[in-house]
Every structure is written in C-alpha cells, then in structure tokens.
Amino acid sequence: MIEIRKSEDRGLADHGWLRSYHTFSFADYYDPENMGFGHLRVINEDRVQPGTGFGTHGHRDMEIISYVLEGALAHKDNMGNGSTIVPGDVQRMSAGKGVLHSEFNHAKDQTTHFLQIWIEPNVSGIPPSYEQRHFDAASKRGRLRLVASPDAREGSVTIHQDAYVYAALLDGADRATHKLQPGRRAYLHVARGKVTVNGQPLEAGDALKATRTPEIALEKGEGAEVLLFDLA
C-alpha cells in the first residue's frame, strides 16, 4: 500500500532565526495521524539563518541523524566532539543515557539547510556516542547509497535500531530500485528536486509511505535528492 504525504501538509514553525517543517508531530505541532512511521519519529527540515543556531540542549534515548543540504552546521557536545557538518556528511549522535549539544550556523551570509532525523533506538540507557561520515555525490548518483545501518555495512554510520537509511541523487534517465523484505516498510522523503516513485510524481518536501510493497522504484529525477528509510 502506498500513501503520499505532501509537503504543504507538514507542520511549520517560523521562529525568525529558524524556519522548520515538521513531517511528524514535534514541539507545538501535533497531528495524531502523523506521530511517526515505525521507529522513525522525526524528520525536521530546518533552515537556520546566518549567525544563529540551537543553544546547548539535551537529548536522551534517541538516534539523531543530521543531513546537511546547503551551508554548514557547527556541532559541539559534552562528549568532547566539535565538528562542522557540510553537504555530503551524515552525522549520527546516539543520545543514550543523556547528552548535551549545540548546533550553530557561523556563516555571515548563508542559510544552513538541513534535515534533522530522529529514530527510536532498540536499547536505552547506553553511553552516548557520536559518528560522522562523508558520502560524496558520485557514490549517490543514480543509486541508493546506504548511509546509516545497525551494522555499519558499506561504511555507513551505525544506529541502534533495525533501520537502514539510503540517500540518492537522481536526474534524467537515472533509475534506482530497492526491494523490501516481507514485513518491512519504507518511508521516502524528497529533500529537493522532483522524482517519480512507484509511479507517483513527488516534489521537494513530499514523502511516500509504503507498506506491503515489494519494491520501491525511483525514476524521472529532476535535480532530486532523496532519503529512503527501510524499517522493521
């Protein structure tokens, strides 16, 4: 079964320094029909204005993935990590028993556009941990590149859940497919551009939910960048 969620149906929070679209219920946005999808709990599409950011705040028992589309995001945490995330990077932070961190756009004239993703872990109370990997455009061009998994397969970052996250860039004649094992479901989010998924035309911010579907097929991309979540 295929279900489409259009970009304009998401929640929107505009704080001036931050403009954030919420795929699922988050903060002041509450939609009982969209509390998450399987263990996928949050996809926030954030635009952070120059010279602003998220001050130090805490998380616990959540797998948090940051995926930058434009600009850069500076990260600091109380584990001693300090890094800058740029397009192509995938950052994973396992909050575990508790972590404090901040995220900031230090640029003077460029907005940072990124996706913040939360996946519920299958363990709780573990020591927090951090990981960051770069996946260049060539590795995602015309194919679904594994970027997060429970077993670090293919150089992906490690998450504590039976979930696999893929990224792809598609244009023109590019075509990519992903087979779903029986009992698994998929969530596809279009980060930018246009693409047709299982015959459904999608644009930036749109998403497709798939259950009892044997295969996800992507084609007719126009500057498309997508994330595909294969979930138990």
Side-chain angles (χ1 to χ4, degrees):
M1 184 177 73
I2 297 292
E3 181 183 346
I4 304 301
R5 180 157 166 76
K6 300 298 289 183
S7 174
E8 58 267 25
D9 294 331
R10 297 177 294 172
L12 172 62
D14 192 341
H15 302 287
W17 67 273
L18 169 69
R19 185 176 174 88
S20 182
Y21 283 97
H22 305 319
T23 291
F24 304 115
S25 292
F26 186 87
D28 293 333
Y29 168 61
Y30 176 71
D31 179 354
E33 299 300 316
N34 288 282
M35 298 299 294
F37 187 73
H39 297 295
L40 178 60
R41 180 61 188 85
V42 167
I43 302 177
N44 287 347
E45 181 186 0
D46 291 345
R47 286 178 172 85
V48 182
Q49 293 300 306
T52 68
F54 303 88
T56 301
H57 59 284
H59 299 282
R60 63 180 302 123
D61 290 330
M62 193 64 71
E63 302 293 295
I64 300 171
I65 296 172
S66 295
Y67 188 96
V68 173
L69 296 164
E70 295 176 355
L73 191 68
H75 166 94
K76 288 186 178 180
D77 62 47
N78 65 344
M79 295 179 282
N81 298 299
S83 66
T84 299
I85 314 163
V86 298
D89 288 350
V90 175
Q91 178 206 74
R92 182 271 303 167
M93 187 174 67
S94 296
K97 61 184 179 182
V99 67
L100 296 172
H101 79 134
S102 64
E103 298 158 299
F104 210 81
N105 175 12
H106 289 297
K108 295 181 179 180
D109 57 4
Q110 184 176 19
T111 297
T112 295
H113 181 197
F114 80 108
L115 299 177
Q116 183 175 146
I117 298 153
W118 293 7
I119 296 175
E120 296 170 341
N122 54 16
V123 290
S124 60
I126 62 174
S129 60
Y130 177 91
E131 188 178 9
Q132 185 174 330
R133 298 283 177 88
H134 185 78
F135 303 90
D136 63 23
S139 71
K140 297 176 284 189
R141 177 67 58 193
R143 64 185 288 260
L144 288 157
R145 172 62 161 100
L146 185 66
V147 297
S149 71
D151 54 11
R153 188 184 308 170
E154 300 175 21
S156 57
V157 300
T158 306
I159 52 177
H160 297 87
Q161 185 51 266
D162 183 6
Y164 298 82
V165 185
Y166 299 83
L169 302 172
L170 299 120
D171 267 301
D174 291 338
R175 190 174 192 274
T177 60
H178 178 74
K179 293 188 182 300
L180 284 173
Q181 297 301 313
R184 297 189 70 85
R185 67 188 84 179
Y187 193 94
L188 184 135
H189 176 83
V190 182
R192 53 184 163 192
K194 299 179 180 180
V195 66
T196 296
V197 184
N198 287 35
Q200 301 288 329
L202 302 177
E203 300 185 1
D206 293 347
L208 178 145
K209 304 176 185 179
T211 55
R212 300 188 297 279
T213 302
E215 183 179 79
I216 304 297
L218 300 90
E219 58 187 346
K220 301 177 182 177
E222 297 179 33
E225 184 162 8
V226 305
L227 290 179
L228 174 67
F229 301 84
D230 182 325
L231 305 162

